[in-house]
Amino acid sequence: MSASAAAEATPSTDDVLLGRKVHVKVPATSANLGPGFDTLGLALAQYDEVEVEVVDSGLEIEVHGVGEGEVPLDASHLVVRAMAHTFARFGRELPPIRLVAHNSIPHGRGLGSSGAAIVAGVMAAKGLLAPEVEISPDGLLEVATELEGHPDNVAPALFGGLTIAWVTPEGPRHKKLMVHRGVSPLVLVPEHEMSTALARSLQPQSVPHEDAVFNVSRSALLVAALIQSPELLLAATEDKLHQSYRAEAMPETDRLIRRLREAGHPAVVSGAGPSILVLASDPSERADATSLVEETADTAWQALPLAVDFLGATVTPVDGD
């Protein structure tokens, strides 16, 4: 058989994948958790879901829920960009697809919406490429981190639970830990958004040595508090590295965190903000924190009592109609 005939006989990637369909579910995340700046992250039981099908031609996108009528419906859509990047990393070209997204993670609120979109795209690509291409957990984290820039949000979105993320010369790595069953997260979400880029721009290039030591001790304590000793969460969530520098950009968030902590609630900025994460040690404390915010906040805040997600992102094949 000639080379040209062999090429004609070999099915293209599009032909092989045509008709494949996957469903992806990705949890919200809260990064930093107070002292664990760019290192610690927690997966929360609030989800974005996407369904992706390989079709004959074109690109069709539907978005329902959060972001409907706001996010782009073309190749610049973050899920599509993440899929295309993942396909390219494994020497493939993204085929024509139909994507339907059902979003519930608030955008621009510090709950990992961009990380969730990236993870959704990476997982959708993994599902469509299997079994021809197998992507390891480290490979998933590496590809997602390339797009996100740092692994503290994408690690818990991928793997669930409490994650410690770090970067090595060989790429990003993570360790997943199970959270004590007494920990009862509460997320307080304001109506206004916060730019992650703006929040990071307020961060100094260097900090005092004593502040760095302070955060090392609190980060170590926080891991122990979350997995074993929830009664230590108030002390363990103290921070001197990032929250005070960003406070001027979100004064209402800062004021509420101070009031919550003065009342004994372990409250921190969720990710880059402006949402607040309260790591309550039981459901009654979570209810008390919600009441305090309702009584003292100057603006509207949505209270979301959320469980910890222990599973992380999932991708499952969908049988054709």
Side-chain angles (χ1 to χ4, degrees), residues 2 40 60 67 104 146 148 204 207 221 263 270-271 290 296 303 307:
S2 68
L40 298 180
E60 183 181 349
S104 70
E146 288 172 354
E148 177 73 350
V207 296
L221 182 61
S270 180
T290 300
T296 63

Side-chain angles (χ1 to χ4, degrees), residues 6-7 38 52 93 95 112 133 156 204 296:
D38 277 1
V52 181
E93 185 175 349
V133 175
T296 63

Side-chain angles (χ1 to χ4, degrees), residues 9-212:
T10 302
S12 69
T13 300
D14 291 4
D15 292 336
V16 171
L17 301 182
L18 183 61
R20 288 190 187 177
K21 189 175 184 180
V22 295
H23 178 269
V24 178
K25 184 176 181 180
V26 186
T29 56
S30 183
N32 302 327
L33 311 183
F37 184 62
D38 277 1
T39 301
L40 298 180
L42 186 67
L44 300 169
Q46 181 103 343
Y47 302 94
D48 282 355
E49 300 185 52
V50 300
E51 199 164 79
V52 181
E53 181 179 10
V54 179
V55 295
D56 287 317
S57 62
L59 171 63
E60 183 181 349
I61 301 173
E62 289 182 24
V63 176
H64 304 279
V66 177
E68 184 175 354
E70 300 174 0
V71 299
L73 301 179
D74 55 24
S76 66
H77 189 284
L78 189 51
V79 175
V80 177
R81 285 165 46 200
M83 289 186 66
H85 180 81
T86 307
F87 267 74
R89 282 282 267 103
F90 293 92
R92 310 297 177 97
E93 185 175 349
L94 182 66
I97 59 169
R98 180 173 187 268
L99 183 151
V100 180
H102 296 270
N103 299 333
S104 70
I105 301 173
H107 288 179
R109 304 299 203 284
L111 289 171
S113 61
S114 63
I118 288 168
V119 167
V122 172
M123 293 295 288
K126 169 184 169 64
L128 292 175
L129 287 169
E132 289 83 9
V133 175
E134 290 294 335
I135 309 176
S136 69
D138 281 346
L140 293 171
L141 182 59
E142 182 173 355
V143 174
T145 302
E146 288 172 354
L147 290 158
E148 177 73 350
H150 40 88
D152 57 330
N153 265 319
V154 294
L158 280 167
F159 307 115
L162 169 67
T163 57
I164 306 170
W166 67 99
V167 178
T168 73
E170 292 75 34
R173 297 291 184 266
H174 83 285
K175 174 62 179 178
K176 174 182 175 179
L177 300 170
M178 302 304 286
V179 177
H180 190 284
R181 63 183 180 181
V183 176
S184 302
L186 170 68
V187 179
L188 302 162
V189 184
E191 294 179 343
H192 58 281
E193 297 185 10
M194 178 70 185
S195 163
T196 301
L198 172 60
R200 286 190 168 272
S201 72
L202 299 173
Q203 199 73 28
Q205 293 299 308
S206 61
V207 296
H209 179 268
E210 57 268 27
D211 288 355

